[in-house]
Each structure stands twice: as C-alpha cells, then as structure tokens.
Amino acid sequence: MNKKVAFYTLGCKLNFSETSTIARSFEKEDFDRVDFTETADIYVINTCSVTENADKRFKTIVKQAQQKNPEAFVAAVGCYAQLKPEELAAVDGVDLVLGATEKFKITDYLNDLSKNVQGEVHSCEIADADFYVGSYAIGDRTRAFLKVQDGCDYKCTYCTIPLARGISRSDSLENVLKNASEIASKDIKEIVLTGVNIGDYGKGEFGNKKHEHTFLDLVKALDDVEGIHRLRISSIEPNLLKNETIDFVAQSNSFVPHFHIPLQSGCDEILKKMRRRYLTNLYVDRVKRIKETMPHACIGVDVIVGFPGETEAQFLETYQFLNELDISYLHVFTYSERDNTLAADMENAVPKNVRSKRSKMLRGLSAKKRRAFYESQLGTMRTVLIEGENKSGYIHGFTENYVKVKAPWNPELVNTLHQVELSKIDEDGLVRFEFVSQKVIA
C-alpha cells in the first residue's frame, strides 16, 4: 500500500499555492494525499511568521498530528521554518525542518520515515534563495491561487518576509501563461494572482534584476488566456498599482473590479517610521482612480494598529482617514514585535491592551464599511460564482466585486456562474439574490 501524506497550511494564499506544488511532488513519489484530520504516515506543516498567533498555532497543529498517529513523521516548511529552524526543530514530535530553498525538494530528505530524536534542520542562508519555483493551488474546484512572484526587496521596519523569502523574483511570463492554461483546462472559473509583492512582477524573471516584463504586461497577457472566466489581483502595493493597470482592469475581459491595497497606517508620520514607499495622498489618488473608472469596485485595505510610538492622536488620524475613504472592508493586524526587525527595537511600545482596543475599533469600522458597500450594491445586476460547500443548508458564492452571497443549498449550482440581481441583506450580513435567468453563463 502507498504511504499517506497530509498537509496543513498556515498563512497566506501564496503558502496555499506552494503547499499544492509540494503535494504534487509527493504524488509523483506514489504517496496518497489524505486530509490532515486523517491518519497519515507523514504530516507536512507549511508555516507562517507574519503574526505571533501563527507561531503559537504551530505547536497545536503538531500535537493534532501526533494524536492521529504518534509514529508519524512530522515535517515543517515555510517562513517560520526559515526564520527560526532550531526553534521548530526543538518542538516535541518534529522530525524535519526545511528552509526557503529546501522545501520544494522535501521528498529528497525523506528516508525511511522513522522518528528522529531531535528535529533535523536543512536551512539555507536567505541570500541563497535567489531562484524561482512556480506553483498554483486548486482548492474548492471554483478558484485557484496562481503564484507569479516571490520575495521582497522592500525594507519595511516591522516585516520579516524579506528574511524568510529572500529577494524579489518572478516567474517567466511564458510559465505563468502555461500554468494559467493548465488551470483553465480543469474547469476552474477563477484565478487569484498571488505573490509576496506582485506589483514588482518582472524583476528577477531571468535570475537577475533585469525587467523584461512588467505587472501590466502580465495582466494584459493573462487577459487573453482562453477558458479563464475571472482573474483577481490579490494584495498589491499602492505605489506599484499604476493608473495604466487600473484603466486596463476597468475594460478587461476577465479581471474583476476588486483590489486589495495595503495601507498599514493613515498617518504619514507612522508610514515614514514603517518605511513604506508612499504617503496617504498617493493612497487617496489610487482609491479615487479606481472609483472613477469602476464605481462598483470593491477595495480592501490592510492596516496595522499599535505600531511603536503610535499615539492616540495618530491612531485617530488613521481611523478618520479610513472612515472618510471610499473603501469596502479592512483587514486589521495588531502589531506584534518580530525578531530581527528595526521596529522591535523602537521606543514607546504601545501597551497590548491599547493595541487590542484600537484593533477592535477598526474591526467595527470594517463591519460598517462592508455593510455600506453591500447596501450600495442592492438592486444591481452582478455575476455570481457559486462555491461548493454546504453550510447549514446554504450555498455561498461571490460576485465579481466580492459581495458574498447565499442561497438555499443546491448541488447543481456548484462551480457555475450566473447573472443575478442582488435583492437583500440577510441577518448574517450575507446578500440574497434573484436569478435574472436560469441560463448558466459558464
């Protein structure tokens, strides 16, 4: 019988795409993939180090694997494995820790899968992570995460990602288009472009800093790939989201009117301390340009609260800035000190209870913004992609501009696109709709 392997992914969409690539390498070695809740011979945990919580969850996940099979081989890969390999190797039950360049060759490090007394570490200097490994993840039949770029050359004072993933580098345009065509051939309706800093696409495409292509070139080329109904840009830095890209998305065949643009602070003084590459006036310009060309566009925002030295007045400046901005939702991160970052050594740390209070205030603002955006979409005609999970008798989906909808469960609707009219907001905050016609778009 074939050995069984199970995977657990922490963190971002990029991690999910890489887990899928690693999983395919196991399948080539005749492993059978099973769910993480099942008994397996090897458990692979793809780690994240963006938040303190992701670090803590790792130990819990290792315990879950051991409860399923105390004799199972446990391997850790990913960002946390690159940043703190010895710390992970010391966790009870961990047998193997692989860094940024080694994770894609994991099957080369497996012998007889017998447990190690101490976790074995294979981790490179991050400067050696200068080559690119393409990947994509197919999750729920409806949507795929396509990695187009890795690493980051920015030096934000709070961030460990350059230490965990190395320099900015890109997949070749030819390979991205090949992967996109493969995904389309599997009857997947939507592709989400992922990377660490995708607006930097093109850099390192040929193993050097030369830019053969730009992010706009990538977007234009993908728009011509046959069989893709929707393309969605994941998080993109405001200084790299050019007007030409916004204008192209506004009239494109496949790209949807949804942007997720990190802000991090609505206070210019804090942005400078963070070493972000823009100030609030540029951010306002980007939002205005999107709304001028696509009034119905959904705009999501990342924001960090409790950065060292953030005063009450500066936090309220951020709150007011976001309150007045025509955006649709927030992803709120509570600042946590990360080793080997400049921010960790800055003075005037914000007390944790204050950080928590500020986070709660912004999460409340996010709920208000999302509700207002959903209300603005009622009565409009939209295209809905229906997803595959039965949640308490309902099926869910998303419009092209990222309004989450629900309808009574019907398995025949899974992975189909429909023209609908958004009719009302339900008690749980999701939107109900009426079919404009019974005809399936795709």
Side-chain angles (χ1 to χ4, degrees):
M1 285 179 63
N2 290 347
K3 298 277 189 186
K4 293 179 180 177
V5 59
F7 297 87
Y8 197 105
T9 306
L10 290 160
C12 61
K13 295 180 177 75
L14 180 57
N15 268 10
F16 279 91
S17 71
E18 292 183 341
T19 296
S20 287
T21 295
I22 294 166
R24 285 192 281 275
S25 72
F26 274 91
E27 287 163 11
K28 287 176 185 171
E29 300 290 331
D30 293 326
F31 279 81
D32 290 335
R33 183 175 181 177
V34 297
D35 192 80
F36 201 84
T37 57
E38 297 177 41
T39 302
D41 300 289
I42 177 168
Y43 292 91
V44 180
I45 305 167
N46 195 351
T47 64
C48 169
S49 191
V50 171
T51 65
E52 196 175 13
N53 188 41
D55 291 0
K56 288 175 180 172
R57 283 187 64 199
F58 175 75
K59 289 180 182 176
T60 305
I61 295 157
V62 172
K63 279 182 185 171
Q64 288 172 0
Q66 288 186 298
Q67 284 166 358
K68 281 290 166 193
N69 181 6
E71 298 304 312
F73 192 89
V74 177
V77 300
C79 290
Y80 192 17
Q82 174 64 36
L83 290 172
K84 298 192 174 180
E86 303 296 341
E87 192 175 298
L88 287 192
V91 172
D92 186 42
V94 173
D95 301 291
L96 179 66
V97 179
L98 298 179
T101 62
E102 293 82 7
K103 62 189 173 187
F104 295 108
K105 301 176 285 186
I106 182 170
T107 55
D108 294 347
Y109 293 95
L110 304 177
N111 296 316
D112 59 357
L113 297 186
S114 57
K115 299 289 287 176
N116 292 327
V117 177
Q118 171 76 22
E120 194 179 302
V121 173
H122 296 277
S123 182
C124 66
E125 291 298 319
I126 197 59
D128 296 334
D130 58 359
F131 59 90
Y132 187 86
V133 178
S135 50
Y136 61 84
I138 295 168
D140 53 8
R141 272 181 57 201
T142 59
R143 182 181 293 111
F145 302 127
L146 173 59
K147 174 183 167 185
V148 300
Q149 182 274 344
D150 201 351
C152 188
D153 292 341
Y154 288 8
K155 299 290 187 285
C156 300
T157 55
Y158 54 84
C159 186
T160 58
I161 288 175
L163 301 174
R165 285 189 168 270
I167 60 171
S168 179
R169 53 206 189 275
S170 309
D171 203 351
S172 69
L173 186 60
E174 180 185 17
N175 198 52
V176 172
L177 297 177
K178 179 179 80 70
N179 284 340
S181 294
E182 277 181 26
I183 292 166
S185 71
K186 299 178 192 295
D187 192 34
I188 286 164
K189 304 293 193 291
E190 180 174 309
I191 292 177
V192 183
L193 304 184
T194 69
V196 174
N197 189 357
I198 64 171
D200 209 22
Y201 176 82
K203 191 184 284 183
E205 192 181 350
F206 300 98
N208 52 36
K209 294 292 181 187
K210 182 180 160 196
H211 260 275
E212 177 81 8
H213 297 103
T214 64
F215 184 68
L216 181 59
D217 292 335
L218 173 73
V219 166
K220 285 181 173 178
L222 282 167
D223 201 47
D224 288 334
V225 175
E226 285 196 19
I228 301 172
H229 298 277
R230 282 185 178 180
L231 284 154
R232 200 177 293 274
I233 298 169
S234 65
S235 185
I236 183 167
E237 293 286 303
N239 53 303
L240 295 174
L241 178 58
K242 306 298 186 188
N243 286 339
E244 294 85 354
T245 303
I246 294 169
D247 294 346
F248 181 80
V249 168
Q251 54 83 52
S252 98
N253 300 318
S254 308
F255 278 89
V256 295
H258 174 209
F259 295 86
H260 193 94
I261 315 168
L263 169 68
Q264 310 309 11
S265 177
C267 169
D268 285 341
E269 290 171 60
I270 296 294
L271 287 175
K272 289 173 185 174
K273 286 181 73 176
M274 289 176 165
R275 291 194 183 169
R276 301 292 286 161
R277 298 195 176 195
Y278 55 86
L279 296 175
T280 51
N281 59 349
L282 180 138
Y283 200 94
V284 170
D285 287 347
R286 293 295 178 269
V287 171
K288 281 183 176 173
R289 183 69 169 223
I290 291 167
K291 286 296 185 175
E292 282 167 4
T293 56
M294 294 165 274
H296 59 297
C298 178
I299 302 176
V301 182
D302 286 342
V303 61
I304 296 170
V305 297
F307 188 80
E310 183 187 60
T311 64
E312 189 70 12
Q314 288 171 329
F315 167 71
L316 291 174
E317 191 179 335
T318 291
Y319 187 96
Q320 202 54 37
F321 178 79
L322 290 165
N323 191 37
E324 293 171 2
L325 208 56
D326 191 3
I327 56 170
S328 314
Y329 64 90
L330 305 173
H331 280 175
V332 184
F333 297 89
T334 304
Y335 172 77
S336 59
E337 288 78 2
R338 317 308 290 158
D339 290 345
N340 301 315
T341 60
L342 290 173
D345 297 323
M346 289 181 180
E347 296 179 348
N348 301 317
V350 177
K352 292 203 171 177
N353 64 321
V354 176
R355 298 182 208 183
S356 178
K357 176 188 152 202
R358 292 176 184 174
S359 175
K360 192 173 180 182
M361 283 178 68
L362 282 185
R363 289 177 203 280
L365 178 61
S366 178
K368 186 180 102 172
K369 287 281 186 183
R370 193 185 296 270
R371 177 82 186 196
F373 177 63
Y374 281 10
E375 285 176 352
S376 75
Q377 297 304 298
L378 295 180
T380 64
M381 303 289 187
R382 295 284 167 243
T383 305
V384 168
L385 175 57
I386 308 290
E387 300 184 346
E389 198 174 348
N390 184 345
K391 293 183 179 176
S392 305
Y394 288 94
I395 196 166
H396 294 158
F398 284 93
T399 64
E400 67 274 34
N401 60 340
Y402 214 56
V403 174
K404 190 171 185 180
V405 300
K406 66 186 285 194
W409 170 253
N410 178 352
E412 292 178 11
L413 295 176
V414 174
N415 197 32
T416 58
L417 281 160
H418 294 266
Q419 192 80 24
V420 304
E421 181 179 345
L422 303 183
S423 55
K424 67 172 185 175
I425 300 176
D426 222 343
E427 291 174 359
D428 58 4
L430 304 186
V431 177
R432 297 290 197 119
F433 60 85
E434 305 293 333
F435 290 104
V436 173
S437 77
Q438 291 304 311
K439 185 182 174 189
V440 177
I441 297 173

